[in-house]
């Protein structure tokens, strides 16, 4: 369930301000201090990848943001209405831990090597 990102040339300062406000509210919800409904959480999370700068193939941060938004969109499509924050968090974490970024980072750390160097060698960003 791919979503098109807003092209850079169409982005306005207001877009970034709204994305920042949504991200703060999403963080509050995940910390147990949210002031929005579960459905509003999913709606905001589903749009949270609109301003990512990379395609998610070479940047771990963008990949994680896109992944979280995809999970939210799938939950909305499936009609999830109960315990959506917990379900979203578990599924997003499960998918993140299966990602090439997470697996490489863990592998390099376990071997006592610098994960950032391994990322750089592959042309990736953490």
């Amino acid at each position: 369930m791919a979503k098109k990102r807003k092209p850079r040339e169409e982005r306005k300062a207001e877009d970034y301000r709204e994305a920042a406000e949504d991200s703060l509210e999403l963080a509050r919800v995940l910390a147990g201090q949210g002031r929005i409904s579960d459905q509003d959480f999913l709606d905001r999370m589903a749009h949270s990848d609109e301003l990512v700068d990379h395609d998610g193939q070479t940047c771990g941060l963008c990949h994680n943001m896109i992944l979280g938004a995809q999970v939210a969109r799938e939950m909305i499509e499936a009609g999830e209405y109960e315990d959506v924050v917990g379900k979203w968090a578990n599924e997003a974490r499960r998918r993140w831990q299966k990602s090439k970024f997470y697996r490489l980072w863990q592998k390099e750390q376990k071997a006592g090597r610098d994960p950032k160097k391994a990322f750089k060698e592959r042309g990736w960003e953490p």
Side-chain angles (χ1 to χ4, degrees), residues 52-63:
V52 296
D53 290 326
H54 305 107
D55 63 6
Q57 299 303 310
T58 59
C59 175
L61 176 62
C62 289
H63 177 79

Side-chain angles (χ1 to χ4, degrees), residues 53-102:
D53 290 326
H54 305 107
D55 63 6
Q57 299 303 310
T58 59
C59 175
L61 176 62
C62 289
H63 177 79
N64 199 14
M65 291 176 70
I66 292 167
L67 185 149
Q70 287 173 335
V71 170
R73 288 191 289 270
E74 290 170 13
M75 290 178 71
I76 291 169
E77 238 178 45
E80 292 283 348
Y81 294 102
E82 293 185 26
D83 186 31
V84 296
V85 176
K87 287 178 183 176
W88 175 88
N90 288 334
E91 181 60 16
R93 180 177 40 251
R94 185 189 70 76
R95 291 185 192 185
W96 172 246
Q97 290 176 345
K98 289 177 66 176
S99 75
K100 64 184 180 183
F101 302 104
Y102 180 88

Side-chain angles (χ1 to χ4, degrees), residues 104-105 108 113-124 126:
L104 177 62
W105 193 275
E108 293 300 303
R113 296 185 293 260
D114 181 5
K116 291 179 185 175
K117 183 178 178 189
F119 271 58
K120 187 175 182 177
E121 289 170 354
R122 287 163 176 77
W124 298 354

